[in-house]
């Protein structure tokens, strides 16, 4: 992660902002997003808009530091959901992921 250049990091952040700015394509997507807010009892129904606003303020060093503190130190966990072309979800939990995320 620390090997990712500033330009590439900026491009990834911009792409994430664009993706989060997209409107829901299906009613089910909107339902699941709002239901997750209800289940978590957070009720921040404008979470995506808030995240898009704050994305440009995120600095690469902050992300690298969080990664080092939470993942490389073994203190945190990484959860990955992989959806292969057959549509069946496979999930795995790793204490530490070796190598680059990108």
């Amino acid at each position: 992660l620390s090997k990712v250049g500033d330009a590439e990091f900026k491009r990834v952040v911009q792409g994430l902002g664009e993706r989060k700015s997209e409107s829901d394509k299906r009613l089910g997507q909107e339902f699941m997003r709002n239901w997750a807010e209800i289940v978590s009892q957070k009720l921040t129904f404008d979470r995506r808009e808030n995240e898009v606003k704050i994305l440009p303020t995120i600095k690469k060093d902050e992300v690298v530091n969080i990664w080092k503190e939470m993942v490389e130190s073994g203190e945190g966990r990484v959860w990955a959901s992989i959806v292969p072309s057959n549509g069946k979800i496979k999930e795995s939990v790793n204490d530490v992921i070796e190598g680059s995320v990108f």
Side-chain angles (χ1 to χ4, degrees):
L1 187 58
S2 58
K3 295 177 183 176
V4 173
D6 291 337
E8 185 178 1
F9 179 80
K10 185 176 180 180
R11 186 178 54 81
V12 169
V13 169
Q14 183 179 9
L16 181 58
E18 290 171 4
R19 184 172 177 189
K20 286 186 169 286
S21 296
E22 291 178 1
S23 59
D24 296 315
K25 305 285 188 268
R26 296 182 312 259
L27 183 59
Q29 291 173 311
E30 182 179 5
F31 172 82
M32 290 306 294
R33 186 170 39 82
N34 290 326
W35 186 251
E37 291 296 331
I38 293 167
V39 169
S40 70
Q41 298 181 351
K42 303 287 186 194
L43 306 179
T44 309
F45 296 106
D46 59 347
R47 180 178 307 278
R48 287 191 317 177
E49 293 85 0
N50 293 339
E51 290 174 350
V52 169
K53 287 178 190 174
I54 202 165
L55 270 172
T57 68
I58 295 174
K59 295 179 178 61
K60 179 183 158 192
D61 339 345
E62 295 171 337
V63 175
V64 170
N65 288 338
I66 290 169
W67 179 263
K68 287 179 180 176
E69 288 174 22
M70 297 304 296
V71 179
E72 289 181 1
S73 69
E75 293 294 317
R77 291 179 174 248
V78 173
W79 184 286
S81 288
I82 302 164
V83 183
S85 60
N86 65 7
K88 295 180 181 175
I89 297 176
K90 296 180 181 179
E91 297 177 341
S92 63
V93 178
N94 297 312
D95 291 330
V96 178
I97 291 181
E98 295 179 8
S100 176
V101 174
F102 297 98

